[in-house]
Amino acid sequence: MALQDALLEIGSDDEVTVDGESLDVADILRAQPTPDNCGVEVTTCARQSGWCATRARVLRTRTLRVRDGAATAKHLTQLSKRLSPDAPHKVLVVVNPAGGTGRAQKVFERDVAPVFYAANIEADVVVTKAQGDAMERCRVVAAAPQVTYDGVVVVGGDGTLSEVVRGLADGASTLADPEQRLRSIRVAHCPGGTGNACHASVASAGGDVIGSAVDVAYNVARGFSCSMGLVRYEFGERRPPFISFLAMEWGLVADVDLGSEGFRWLGALRTTLAAIWYILRLKRHRATLSWLPCTQPARKGGLFAPSRLPPLGAPLPPPWRTERRDATYQLMMACNVSHVDETTPMAPAAGLDDGAIHLVFTRLRPGFLARVDLIDGFLKLDGGKHIHKRSFQSHRCRALRLVPAADDDSRTGLDGEAVPSGAIQAEIFPGALRVFCAAPLAAARTAVSPPERAA
Ligand SMILES: Nc1ncnc2c1ncn2[C@@H]1O[C@H](COP(=O)(O)OP(=O)(O)OP(=O)(O)O)[C@@H](O)[C@H]1O
C-alpha cells in the first residue's frame, strides 16, 4: 500500500496534525494500521474547504506515515470514540426507490453506505416495494420486546418518513412505556424525495448543507441527536388520530401540493406551475380557525394518552382564540418544523422542539389584488420573507382547531398526504421523537421558546 508523503502526529494534548496542519478528530471515522506498521489508513468525513466548495462533507481515505501504525490507529480510534459515546451499532435503512426522481437507492449506495461502512455501523436495508411497506416494517421494529435497532435511516421523501414515524409510534403504542420506546429509536432523514422537508429543517437548524446525504450519514455515524416535537391530529369519530412530524396544509397550499401529485415527473417545477395555476383561479376557502396561544410552555408527554383537547364540536374555553366564524382564507399551514421542502422555510422561526405549532395563513379580500399579493408572497417563500408581509399572519400555538364551513370543499393534507376534509384539531407534544442531527444542535440545550403573551 503506497504511503502518502504526509506525516501524521498526535501531540501531548491529543491534537492531531498532518504535516503540521490540524486534523479534527471528530472527522475521523476509521483508523487502521498498514500491514508494515509504518503507516495508518485514516478515513475522514470532513467539510470541503476552498472557494468553490459546497461545504458538504466528503468521505476520504488516506494512508499516512506514522512512527507506529498499530499504536497510532488504536489511539485515534479511542479519541474518536470518546467524542461519540452514543454512536449507533445497528440501524434499519428504509429506501424508497419511487421517491422523488427515483435516485434514493443510488444516494444510499454512493453517499450513505460508505460512511456507515467506515464507521462500522451494521445496516439492514429495506427497499420498499409499495406504499405502506415502511410503516409496517417500523411498526414491527418498535413493537418488538427488545430494541433491535439504534435508529431508522430514511432515504426517501417526507411521505416515507411519515410512514416510518407513524409506524414506530403505532408499534410503540402496544408497549407499557410507548414514549420511552419511541424516543429510543432515533430517526434520520437523507434527502431522497421531492420535498425532503424534515431533512431541510434539521440541516438548516444544525448548520449542515441542505441536500447533502453525506452530512446526514456523518451525523448518524457520530450518534449526535436532539429532540423533536410531534403533533397529533384528531378527527373526532371520523378516523383515528394522525401523528404528524411536518405540517397540515389547507386551502391554496393543499391545492398546489395535492392537486399536482400527477405531475411529480416535473420535479421542483411542479409546485411552481401549480402555484401559478391555483393562484390565477383562486378559490374561496371558508372555515372557522381557532388556536391555543403559547401562553404557557407545552406539557411534556401524553402522545399516547387520551386527548386533552375539548371534543371536536364542543366550545373552546379561553385562552383559545378564534378568528371570525366561517371566515374566508386563501391558504393555511400549521408547521411543526421550519421548512416544507428543501427551499421553502414556510415557518422560518420554527425550532425543532420549540413546543409550538407555527400557524401561517392569509385572509385577503378576494379579487385581483389578492392574486398579486399571493404571487408576491410565493416569490418571497424561498428566503422566508413572506412572513414579513402584512397579509401573511403567523401565530405560535400549542393546539389548533379548523372547522371548514358546511359548503366548503377545500383539500386538507397532513405531511403531504391527503386526508378527508372536515373538522380537525391538533396538539403539539414536545420531545416526542429523537432525530439524528449535527453536533452543535445536539450540544445545545433543548430550547423551548418563551411563551407568547395572552392576547
Ligand atoms: N416502491 C414503491 N412504489 C411506489 N410507491 C412507494 C414505494 N415505496 C413507497 N412508496 C410511497 O411513495 C410515496 C412518496 O414517497 P416519498 O415521500 O418518499 O417521495 P416524494 O413524495 O417524492 O417526496 P416528498 O414526500 O418529500 O415530496 C410515499 O407515500 C410512499 O408510501
Side-chain angles (χ1 to χ4, degrees):
M1 189 175 297
L3 293 191
Q4 279 196 5
D5 195 23
L7 178 67
L8 183 145
E9 287 178 305
I10 305 177
S12 54
D13 53 357
D14 283 341
E15 204 207 347
V16 181
T17 57
V18 174
D19 268 358
E21 295 234 352
S22 174
L23 180 71
D24 191 344
V25 181
D27 292 341
I28 300 174
L29 292 183
R30 191 186 190 94
Q32 281 186 311
T34 55
D36 60 7
N37 208 34
C38 295
V40 64
E41 199 182 274
V42 180
T43 304
T44 54
C45 192
R47 293 212 178 282
Q48 298 177 78
S49 53
W51 64 271
C52 62
T54 62
R55 276 190 65 253
R57 290 185 180 275
V58 176
L59 196 66
R60 183 180 179 202
T61 300
R62 283 186 291 174
T63 306
L64 302 164
R65 278 188 293 125
V66 288
R67 291 190 183 91
D68 180 344
T72 307
K74 191 170 167 205
H75 194 67
L76 286 177
T77 306
Q78 278 170 353
L79 285 180
S80 166
K81 275 198 175 147
R82 212 184 295 157
L83 290 174
S84 47
D86 297 326
H89 299 288
K90 189 172 178 181
V91 293
L92 176 70
V93 180
V94 178
V95 181
N96 176 4
T101 46
R103 290 172 51 249
Q105 187 125 20
K106 191 170 171 206
V107 167
F108 173 68
E109 283 160 13
R110 187 192 59 200
D111 298 340
V112 181
V115 175
F116 287 179
Y117 174 76
N120 206 18
I121 294 174
E122 196 184 333
D124 281 354
V125 183
V126 174
V127 179
T128 57
K129 292 195 173 59
Q131 190 165 33
D133 277 8
M135 192 174 334
E136 191 45 43
R137 181 66 192 258
C138 289
R139 185 182 289 133
V140 173
V141 164
Q146 300 295 325
V147 177
T148 333
Y149 299 105
D150 302 308
V152 179
V153 179
V154 173
V155 191
D158 295 304
T160 309
L161 182 62
S162 174
E163 282 198 26
V164 164
V165 172
R166 285 182 289 142
L168 290 175
D170 202 25
S173 71
T174 60
L175 302 175
D177 190 352
E179 292 183 6
Q180 199 278 333
R181 172 56 64 90
L182 184 56
R183 283 176 57 83
S184 72
I185 306 173
R186 290 166 286 175
V187 172
H189 184 196
C190 288
T194 318
N196 308 315
C198 182
H199 156 72
S201 303
V202 176
S204 108
D208 275 342
V209 174
I210 295 178
S212 167
V214 181
D215 282 25
V216 180
Y218 168 83
N219 294 336
V220 175
R222 281 276 158 227
F224 302 138
S225 66
C226 64
S227 292
M228 178 170 162
L230 290 177
V231 181
R232 184 174 63 196
Y233 284 87
E234 300 168 9
F235 307 81
E237 301 295 311
R238 285 189 295 136
R239 56 171 280 170
F242 184 108
I243 309 264
S244 155
F245 70 92
L246 178 54
M248 174 172 84
E249 52 194 9
W250 180 80
L252 178 61
V253 201
D255 285 342
V256 170
D257 188 19
L258 305 173
S260 64
E261 279 285 341
F263 297 90
R264 287 193 165 273
W265 50 273
L266 281 173
L269 194 59
R270 144 177 106 104
T271 43
T272 310
L273 295 179
I276 295 169
W277 171 253
Y278 282 106
I279 289 174
L280 290 179
R281 55 191 294 269
L282 197 58
K283 270 175 63 179
R284 283 158 62 93
H285 303 279
R286 287 173 57 245
T288 306
L289 174 64
S290 312
W291 65 91
L292 182 61
C294 292
T295 45
Q296 296 160 0
R299 285 171 291 180
K300 289 246 175 198
L303 180 64
F304 296 93
S307 176
R308 301 183 287 216
L309 300 176
L312 265 173
L316 295 167
W320 279 81
R321 286 177 60 181
T322 299
E323 283 273 302
R324 269 209 3 244
R325 279 186 67 81
D326 289 350
T328 298
Y329 297 87
Q330 286 74 39
L331 62 87
M332 203 282 283
M333 284 211 85
C335 302
N336 183 37
V337 291
S338 58
H339 286 61
V340 291
D341 64 34
E342 284 191 20
T343 56
T344 313
M346 179 62 83
L352 283 182
D353 197 21
D354 61 2
I357 304 170
H358 294 249
L359 254 182
V360 179
F361 59 84
T362 60
R363 269 190 61 203
L364 295 158
R365 202 182 290 273
F368 173 73
L369 288 179
R371 289 175 173 83
V372 173
D373 199 295
L374 285 167
I375 287 176
D376 183 49
F378 267 81
L379 290 174
K380 290 190 161 103
L381 278 174
D382 277 11
K385 295 208 175 75
H386 61 288
I387 223 75
H388 303 304
K389 282 175 67 67
R390 279 188 55 181
S391 49
F392 278 69
Q393 294 196 45
S394 92
H395 300 271
R396 292 170 54 244
C397 61
R398 280 175 33 209
L400 64 91
R401 179 186 285 181
L402 180 80
V403 183
D407 58 349
D408 185 84
D409 61 351
S410 307
R411 292 184 174 98
T412 308
L414 285 180
D415 294 1
E417 185 183 304
V419 293
S421 288
I424 188 169
Q425 61 182 14
E427 181 182 1
I428 182 129
F429 295 88
L433 190 72
R434 286 198 76 77
V435 288
F436 288 102
C437 64
L441 202 56
R445 287 176 59 122
T446 305
V448 174
S449 35
E452 240 170 43
R453 240 175 282 131

